[in-house]
Amino acid sequence: MSDTLPANMLDQLPLRLYIVDEGHQARTLNGELLPTPGVIHGSDCHVCVLGEDHCPIRQSSRDGRPRHLRLPPHLCGGERSVDLDIMPLRGEQAGSVLVVERDVDEGDLELSRTDAGMERQLRQLDILNQVLAALQQVRDLDRILRIILAGLTFGKGLEFNRAFFFEVRGDEVFGRLAVGPLDGGEAERIWARQDLSRLSLAELFAQLDADEEAPPIQRHVEQLSFHLAAAAPQLRVSLERQACTMLRLPPEREPGSVCLLDMTGSQESWLVPVRLPAQGSSPDGEEGAIRPARGELRGFLLVDNAITRREPTSEHLDALTSCARHLGFALERARMNRDLDERLQELQDAYAQLDRRQEQLLKAEKLAAVGRVTGNLAHEIKTPLMSIGGFARLLVRELAGQEKARDYADRVLKESRRIEHILEALLDYGVPQMLRREQVDLAVRAWQQTERLAEDFRERGIAFTLEVPQDPCWVWGDPLRLDQLLHIQLQNVLDLNEPRRDGGRCRSLLVRVEQDEDATRLIVADDGPGVPTHLITTLFEPFVSGRESALGLGLAQARDIARRHGGDLHLAQPGRLGGAEIITTLQGRNHGTHPVRG
Amino acid sequence: MARILFADDDESLRMLYQEEFQADGHELHFAATGREAVELAKMVHPDLIVMDIRMPEMDGLEAMGRIVAEDNEVPVIIYSAFPHHKEDFSSWLADAYLVKSMDLGELRRTIERTLRDKGC
């Protein structure tokens, strides 16, 4: 194009050319100033004022890309449509655009309409395909809904202004998800951003997933809820149907009834129920039955064109119905996947538990084998040891007056006794004895055991507190073994606080018994320095001790007793007094009166 | 004075028992197996039997069963290194069950008490 074209030639062409500069002034090629075109209506029905962000002339001026618009006759003040080709200029005129207005031949226009219709259908199909493909990969309900709603409102495909999903649970309806602008002002911002970013549908899905802050319409819809019984009859009838229904704001509201469109702020909307698929149906609607069975109602899709007020075509509404149908299937698939996941998780948990049991069993078998060997060994050692010790004792008696020899014999006797104690502990741990169960009041047993050792605690300067409930704490167990369990723990505290060691390391000890329906707990807590870190995980294993001189069987034996009573031992550290706290858990009140085979 | 039969397969222990209890003025008899104990019991009619459990040929529990079957009045003290034989109901025939210890004080006290109960 240049300004060398003769004016008479231009008059003969169905063309009008002018240049719009950066100041939005329009001039002919000869430099004649034209009145500003004012309002331009784009073919996408956006209404924009020359110079505003949405104006295609302005956009071309900015991004240097050509635009094409077709203005329908009623917008051109005539009977013919007008095409606008907007071409950005370069060089010295960069920032200005050349606008070519061309009358459209009606024959061409008809052809063009057919093309546009096909193109629209193709776009819709493309969107539906993308939505379905995205749904195949998604299990999360909110993501499924976002994909559907984004597809319904996406660009030039289904192009509803807004889409909502309301969930129906029994008689109650809850706003779950919404996509689109809350009002006209927001519509300008959203659509301008979409025009500029030119996101594909897949990118839009990703962006919706990534959005951390819920958009205003989402925050709005989450606050909506009502009872179906209170809804206007029109809505209830719509939910009984399979297909799409148009809802229109009634001129007068029924007193006391809920008007859904008042809630969403639209004059008219289109609603499709979303049902889980009935058995044997397919998302493409080929049930093969005259009256297909209806699945459970899960909610409904609601769309509107509250901003542009454009009437959707029947193709749009078909696409909406199709989306609702596919949503039903996606929900069902998500539910089945969740069920499957739960089953899988249950299986994994069961396997993990089995592994743990096997490990425990293996460990128990190993310990039992060690126990048998230890038991036999202890027996074999004990008999000669009895002789050694017994004769040493006789020697001590016989050697009266021979102090040195007597001292030697005495040492033999003492060392033999020490070995004998170790053997007794090994025998006791290695060869578990049968439980003789009866009703035992653990509170009384705790009181008896602490009383037995009260003097020892006083000697070590340890103040002990016994907390037991007023009512008996009945457990079904072996009284001697439960005494042993208590004694081991108390003796353990005493041993760790021998006066000879460092004058005592803890000052307070709490022995507490508590019981509820499910468990009986014996708590032994002190204010000492606690169990050394390196021993925490193995504290209840045999041959683990914080003291060099100890064999490390006490707590292992206590745990063994607890486990044989259906309970266990745990270390809580720091405990309620700041030091170690050993919690023995036994069966609760509910189990207390039922004999359990030990 | 009472007749006491000790049954234990360990020679040193039998010797130890002899050293320990002969001074008490009792008549002591010793068996090294369960079978010997049964035979000896028939012969000497002891006032009390101290019986080990683990012995060759016949264990102490079986021997005790046979002896008591012949003489229901004779008291038996099981004296074993193993505490868990207490669970074996055959040991419940015994008048006492003691776990062996180099300190024979408990055995002595039990012997004296049992004899006293029997009127010896």
Side-chain angles (χ1 to χ4, degrees), chain A residues 24-63:
Chain A
H24 316 306
Q25 294 292 327
R27 296 172 192 275
T28 65
L29 297 185
N30 294 328
E32 188 184 338
L33 194 65
L34 293 175
T36 301
V39 178
I40 290 187
H41 300 265
S43 65
D44 56 358
C45 285
H46 291 177
V47 180
C48 56
V49 177
L50 186 66
E52 281 196 346
D53 280 347
H54 299 349
C55 169
I57 292 177
R58 169 114 182 187
Q59 286 176 349
S60 272
S61 161
R62 278 185 168 175
D63 63 18

Side-chain angles (χ1 to χ4, degrees), chain A residues 376 382 387 393 420 431, chain B residues 12 20 54 84 100-102:
Chain A
N376 284 326
K382 191 166 185 181
S387 297
R393 192 163 36 76
E420 190 178 50
V431 189
Chain B
S12 297
E20 187 71 35
R54 271 201 186 180
H84 67 271
K100 279 182 178 174
S101 168
M102 64 182 67

Side-chain angles (χ1 to χ4, degrees), chain A residues 375-376 379-380 382-383 385-387 389-391 393-394 397 413 416-417 420 424 427 431 433-434 436, chain B residues 8 10 12-13 15-17 19-20 54 79 81-84 86-87 92 99-104 108:
Chain A
N376 284 326
H379 180 264
E380 295 307 314
K382 191 166 185 181
T383 304
L385 187 68
M386 263 189 76
S387 297
F391 284 113
R393 192 163 36 76
L394 291 179
R397 208 158 59 197
L413 179 60
S416 303
R417 276 194 180 128
E420 190 178 50
E424 277 166 4
L427 270 172
V431 189
Q433 293 170 42
M434 196 172 75
R436 298 183 191 282
Chain B
D8 199 305
D10 190 274
S12 297
L13 283 185
M15 193 177 157
L16 180 67
Y17 298 148
E19 293 292 334
E20 187 71 35
R54 271 201 186 180
Y79 198 50
F82 268 133
H84 67 271
K86 278 183 189 173
E87 315 300 343
W92 302 349
V99 178
K100 279 182 178 174
S101 168
M102 64 182 67
D103 179 6
L104 295 175
R108 179 188 302 280

Side-chain angles (χ1 to χ4, degrees), chain A residues 14 109 163:
Chain A
L109 192 59

